[in-house]
Amino acid sequence: MSAALTALAATAAGIQSASAAPSDRPATQTRQISEDGSRADSAIAKARDHADRTKVGAHQKLVVTDALADSTGETHVRMRRTYQGLRVIGGDLVVHQSANGAFEGSSQTLKADLTLSAQPEVTAAKAAAKVKASKDSKPELVVDATTATPRLAWRVTVSGAQKDGTPSRIDNYVDARSGKVIRSEQRIQTVDGDGNTLYSGLVPLRLTQSGSSYQLKDPTRGGTYTVDVNNGTDNILCTLLGLGCPKETLFTSTDTHFGTGSNSNRESAAADAQFGTNVTWDYYQQTFGRNGIFGTGAGSYNRVHYGKNYVNAFWDGKRMTYGDGDGSGYGPLTSLDVTGHEMSHGVTENTAGLTYSGESGGLNEATSDIFGTMVEFFAANSQDPGDYLIGEEFDLAHHTGFRRMDNPASDGDSLSCWSTNAKNVDVHYSSGIGNHFFYLLAEGSGAKTIGGVAHSSTTCNGSTVTGIGRAQAAAIWYRALTVYMTSSTNYAGARTATLNAASDLYGASSAQRNAVAAAWSAVSVG
């Protein structure tokens, strides 16, 4: 693709293209830098100097939320914006600077400066009543810029429980002019699971000694630990205010051994969850230099034995929670690909922050499936060889899992190919487009056996795609997520983001970049 066509494609996708790293100086490593350092300050100044590109107007302020530096010296500073003191949802941007500090471009979805009035015509109380929020709810006035036409809106959070018992925390956006509900976003991010406990054999665990007992807490990985919630669930007060939450009991032992390999011992699922978080931590650190979910070295924690007959798992912004399954068709949802999936929701939340609805929600779920799968390969565990099935280990009846990345549509619900209806499909099913793209990019089309499982992938345009390997495909997706994607990125924007990432890592004329273009076209994202 020519430079002119690349720029045109980026503009159409809502992501402004940044200059790619010279092909003879690939970005071999990316590290985090200070969010209040000179390069971050420079990025804010550059954003204002290039307002025609960044859409930063006189009534806007910018706050840096993340900053990355490549081995080439280039930097990528992520920031959120406010407008007349109001948060701009979907207004986040990334400013790219060369090694000498020159402005190279920006990544964003906002298409124009904000000029709307910041005075609501609908009261906060009426907005809360519209979505049946509790009387003590505190609606926040924001600018919703996730669609083509930004609107003044009340963000009203309603908490409760989903049909299967998963806690619910929905952000509703109510138009502050008309009082109509613009959109709703589920903040509790889940994986549709069916599964049994993955017993990876005898695995190493780092423990914390406390007196004469040993805690299932890893001091070498941010203090990550695992608790038993004794089949309790989160009520509304717990989800909303952190009050009345189920009792959490840290797993401890009088010796250094946890679990028996049997589901009758409550420690076994806990050992799986702890091992899964350890492997996921190591994968991100050893592969991308990322220091934990938050990138700060701080750990999170696992809750196991959540609910009764609960066939799901979720990330809620600070921890991972796993159900026990129903005991017949599905076992505990603590397999390696699910623990990697849930922790990756945290990585997404703390980088691109992909909105959990529409096409960006599909990309959010695809990101978790992609990296959950990569964690499974990274573990190289003989009892759970890496494959592109999602949740096969706890699927007691069939061992095929809920989703498969080589042929997403085979489950009867997921999308293998993009269409204009993708934005209206449940995010767990629209994720199939991203999953299919990644599989084709990594493995190529056609039939092959991976991890002892037969895989076969066709393309939506009848083309033949040659894969570049999992490691390079994952490196491209991670860079696109952390450097180029923003909260409202859609599939067209993801194409541009991954093309930019491939150019940065391997060169603008590289086989890898050409493969990215071919794989997106193969799933009808062109």
Side-chain angles (χ1 to χ4, degrees):
M1 183 182 289
S2 69
L5 288 177
T6 300
L8 180 60
T11 301
I15 297 182
Q16 299 178 359
S17 60
S19 301
S23 58
D24 61 343
R25 292 189 63 218
T28 58
Q29 186 179 23
T30 300
R31 60 184 175 84
Q32 289 192 298
I33 58 176
S34 174
E35 296 173 9
D36 55 6
S38 59
R39 294 308 294 270
D41 291 340
S42 172
I44 292 178
K46 293 294 192 304
R48 293 200 175 280
D49 291 343
H50 296 271
D52 58 322
R53 301 282 299 279
T54 61
K55 313 306 177 189
V56 177
H59 296 292
Q60 295 183 36
K61 291 186 178 180
L62 301 171
V63 177
V64 173
T65 59
D66 194 21
L68 302 173
D70 292 337
S71 55
T72 59
E74 294 175 309
T75 56
H76 314 277
V77 179
R78 185 178 295 272
M79 54 192 79
R80 58 179 171 82
R81 71 180 91 205
T82 62
Y83 173 72
Q84 295 192 31
L86 304 178
R87 280 203 301 156
V88 181
I89 309 299
D92 47 316
L93 75 154
V94 184
V95 171
H96 310 285
Q97 299 172 96
S98 67
N100 63 8
F103 178 78
E104 289 193 327
S106 63
S107 298
Q108 63 189 57
T109 48
L110 191 65
K111 298 181 183 301
D113 185 16
L114 299 170
T115 58
L116 71 166
S117 169
Q119 295 300 316
E121 296 178 11
V122 173
T123 65
K126 288 184 177 179
K130 182 71 176 180
V131 296
K132 299 180 180 180
S134 60
K135 293 182 179 180
D136 58 353
S137 67
K138 298 179 179 178
E140 177 190 6
L141 191 62
V142 300
V143 174
D144 182 7
T146 60
T147 58
T149 304
R151 286 180 278 186
L152 190 69
W154 289 104
R155 174 178 170 270
V156 187
T157 302
V158 177
S159 297
Q162 300 177 45
K163 290 182 178 179
D164 64 356
T166 304
S168 175
R169 186 165 67 244
I170 299 176
D171 285 345
N172 299 280
Y173 292 86
V174 180
D175 194 308
R177 301 268 185 272
S178 67
K180 295 181 178 179
V181 177
I182 300 171
R183 63 184 181 88
S184 299
E185 177 185 355
Q186 175 61 259
R187 297 301 302 278
I188 301 293
Q189 299 174 4
T190 69
V191 54
D192 289 329
D194 303 73
N196 72 17
T197 307
L198 173 64
Y199 301 114
S200 302
L202 188 62
V203 297
L205 293 173
R206 291 292 184 91
L207 308 173
T208 297
Q209 186 171 4
S210 177
S212 59
S213 69
Y214 297 88
Q215 301 173 342
L216 197 53
K217 181 176 183 179
D218 190 335
T220 68
R221 295 178 175 90
T224 299
Y225 59 95
T226 301
V227 301
D228 189 342
V229 291
N230 304 292
N231 301 106
T233 57
D234 299 338
N235 58 31
I236 293 177
L237 285 177
C238 174
T239 304
L240 185 63
L241 302 173
L243 302 175
C245 297
K247 181 181 178 181
E248 300 176 353
T249 306
L250 178 66
F251 280 93
T252 62
S253 176
T254 56
D255 56 33
T256 57
H257 306 291
F258 286 80
T260 63
S262 170
N263 198 31
S264 61
N265 185 305
R266 297 180 76 84
E267 291 181 357
S268 297
D272 280 332
Q274 186 75 15
F275 178 61
T277 55
N278 291 352
V279 174
T280 305
W281 180 288
D282 291 349
Y283 169 73
Y284 277 105
Q285 187 174 65
Q286 295 178 27
T287 308
F288 305 119
R290 185 175 188 84
N291 199 10
I293 289 176
F294 310 102
T296 62
S300 183
Y301 73 103
N302 305 298
R303 299 192 301 175
V304 297
H305 302 305
Y306 179 90
K308 295 180 180 179
N309 298 319
Y310 181 62
V311 188
N312 218 328
F314 61 90
W315 158 262
D316 65 5
K318 63 179 180 179
R319 62 199 172 191
M320 293 73 68
T321 300
Y322 303 96
D324 283 336
D326 59 11
S328 55
Y330 311 114
L333 279 75
T334 50
S335 62
L336 280 169
D337 53 0
V338 175
T339 54
H341 178 112
E342 297 307 333
M343 286 183 71
S344 294
H345 273 310
V347 172
T348 296
E349 181 176 312
N350 287 277
T351 55
L354 289 163
T355 302
Y356 204 61
S357 62
E359 289 191 22
S360 59
L363 285 166
N364 190 318
E365 276 294 319
T367 296
S368 282
D369 280 352
I370 287 167
F371 288 123
T373 294
M374 290 303 298
V375 165
E376 189 176 78
F377 278 108
F378 176 80
N381 186 279
S382 61
Q383 295 195 29
D384 181 21
D387 54 43
Y388 289 89
L389 308 184
I390 308 299
E392 76 281 1
E393 290 298 327
F394 53 76
D395 180 356
L396 303 179
H398 307 292
H399 295 287
T400 56
F402 268 170
R403 297 186 291 278
R404 57 183 308 147
M405 298 173 71
D406 61 328
N407 184 13
S410 62
D411 63 19
D413 294 303
S414 296
L415 304 181
S416 288
C417 308
W418 182 87
S419 72
T420 55
N421 189 50
K423 62 181 179 295
N424 301 317
V425 177
D426 182 281
V427 296
H428 295 93
Y429 303 139
S430 61
S431 64
I433 302 163
N435 286 347
H436 194 194
F437 158 79
F438 184 85
Y439 178 86
L440 289 170
L441 180 62
E443 304 290 349
S445 54
K448 60 178 63 180
T449 299
I450 304 170
V453 177
H455 292 68
S456 183
S457 190
T458 57
T459 60
C460 306
N461 61 358
S463 64
T464 298
V465 175
T466 300
I468 62 174
R470 291 185 294 273
Q472 291 186 350
I476 289 169
W477 192 273
Y478 182 79
R479 182 170 179 83
L481 176 76
T482 57
V483 173
Y484 292 110
M485 291 186 190
T486 58
S487 57
S488 298
T489 293
N490 58 13
Y491 274 110
R495 176 187 173 108
T496 303
T498 49
L499 285 170
N500 281 343
S503 294
D504 291 346
L505 295 174
Y506 306 109
S509 301
S510 64
Q512 291 88 343
R513 187 185 188 282
N514 293 337
V516 169
W520 278 123
S521 296
V523 297
S524 301
V525 178

